[in-house]
Amino acid sequence: MTRKRRITFQYLTAAAMLLVGVALAIAGFIVSPLGEIHDSVLYFTAQCFIYAGSVFGVSVYVSDKFKNLQSKLGIKDKTDDEDEDPKNE
């Protein structure tokens, strides 16, 4: 699995877990007894949010630290080269 596919998979699973967490929280209010959420639903919803938050948060933190390290070492990012079009020069 390539790095790009792995990152895409992580983001898709995190987004899916966010949707599942929200859906379970809403479903907890709809099923009987109305307006009361069972502890197991709250626990699973919290786990969904923790997973999604960790995927998004850790990813942003690591990429920020990596970019800071690259700038301190004077390494040019490969994506910067791709953004520049040599035909326009």
Side-chain angles (χ1 to χ4, degrees):
M1 182 178 271
T2 64
R3 184 175 191 276
K4 187 175 181 176
R5 288 187 70 176
R6 182 175 43 90
I7 290 172
T8 303
F9 180 73
Q10 285 177 338
Y11 284 150
L12 288 175
T13 58
M17 290 299 276
L18 276 174
L19 292 175
V20 168
V22 169
L24 279 175
I26 292 171
F29 282 112
I30 294 173
V31 298
S32 63
L34 291 176
E36 198 173 307
I37 300 179
H38 193 268
D39 291 340
S40 62
V41 174
L42 287 176
Y43 177 76
F44 191 74
T45 301
Q47 293 299 317
C48 291
F49 292 153
I50 288 171
Y51 174 76
S54 67
V55 168
F56 291 130
V58 170
S59 172
V60 168
Y61 178 79
V62 168
S63 66
D64 183 51
K65 291 295 180 180
F66 187 69
K67 286 180 183 177
N68 285 341
L69 179 64
Q70 280 182 330
S71 66
K72 286 182 181 180
L73 295 175
I75 300 171
K76 192 172 183 181
D77 192 9
K78 290 181 182 178
T79 57
D80 291 340
D81 295 336
E82 295 170 359
D83 292 339
E84 298 174 4
D85 190 10
K87 294 178 185 176
N88 291 337
E89 292 180 357

